[in-house]
Amino acid sequence: TEVPTNITGTGATFRAQGHPGRLVTNVWFQYGVYESLLAYSTNAVIGGSGNSFVPVSYPVTALAPGTRYFVRAVARNVNGIAYGNILSFNTTGSALFGSRPTAITKPTTFVFQNSALFNGEVNPNGGLTTAWFEYGATAALGSFVTVQPVGSGTTTLGYSWAISGLRPNTTYSVRAVAQSQFGITHGAM
């Protein structure tokens, strides 16, 4: 991963150097506002198939002004996947002060002996938002599903997650969760 260039209030160009090792290699970038949660990805580009380092770049838009972002390059070929170092950068301009996203837990559907479909709604309220569900057999919950990127719009979106491996004849609690650079919101259980 190399330091991004062309940084503006709403965009940047992500850059990396990849060594394909004589195999066709795809390269993409993961990014987000939390170092431990790079939930957004660019499209993959062909990083070459030669035996020397190849520069790769990808322009990204729809970033928030005055916000710290984290990015890393990812490369994959038939031999496996490699992750670059995580770097941070700040978009220019003044930080937007916004509202935390909203998260609404909707009724669980398609409940079977050991599986169900969790349902929720989220409104990013203009912040780069991710959403997921927390669940468990006690009020402490304790488990969560894979984080889903939901964008930075200002309209309410539905999202769902099919879960399996649940214990039969067990009552579970579930709640929707959404997080952006403006904070985290938990829906009702």
Side-chain angles (χ1 to χ4, degrees):
T1 310
E2 295 183 336
V3 176
T5 59
N6 303 323
I7 298 170
T8 67
T10 59
T13 300
F14 296 159
R15 302 178 319 122
Q17 291 282 330
H19 195 292
R22 295 189 178 130
L23 298 168
V24 174
T25 302
N26 289 321
V27 178
W28 66 94
F29 297 89
Q30 296 175 329
Y31 65 101
V33 293
Y34 302 99
E35 184 174 7
S36 61
L37 183 62
L38 303 176
Y40 289 83
S41 294
T42 65
N43 291 327
V45 295
I46 301 296
S49 59
N51 197 29
S52 60
F53 281 94
V54 177
V56 178
S57 64
Y58 197 95
V60 177
T61 59
L63 301 178
T67 302
R68 185 176 187 192
Y69 285 92
F70 297 88
V71 61
R72 75 173 167 197
V74 183
R76 178 174 40 200
N77 62 28
V78 296
N79 286 336
I81 193 164
Y83 297 92
N85 293 332
I86 296 175
L87 301 178
S88 68
F89 68 97
N90 293 310
T91 52
T92 61
S94 298
L96 295 175
F97 293 99
S99 300
R100 293 181 302 162
T102 57
I104 300 169
T105 308
K106 302 297 277 184
T108 298
T109 56
F110 299 105
V111 178
F112 296 104
Q113 184 174 351
N114 65 351
S115 63
L117 183 67
F118 297 157
N119 299 295
E121 291 181 345
V122 62
N123 185 329
N125 290 326
L128 188 61
T129 302
T130 54
W132 64 93
F133 294 97
E134 295 178 337
Y135 67 99
T138 67
L141 301 178
S143 298
F144 60 92
V145 302
T146 303
V147 174
Q148 303 174 54
V150 293
S152 59
T154 56
T155 59
T156 300
L157 309 165
Y159 72 106
S160 300
W161 189 267
I163 188 79
S164 62
L166 301 174
R167 293 190 307 262
N169 302 315
T170 303
T171 300
Y172 284 87
S173 296
V174 62
R175 70 179 172 192
V177 185
Q179 184 175 27
S180 74
Q181 70 266 36
F182 303 125
I184 189 168
T185 303
H186 296 89
M189 283 196 278

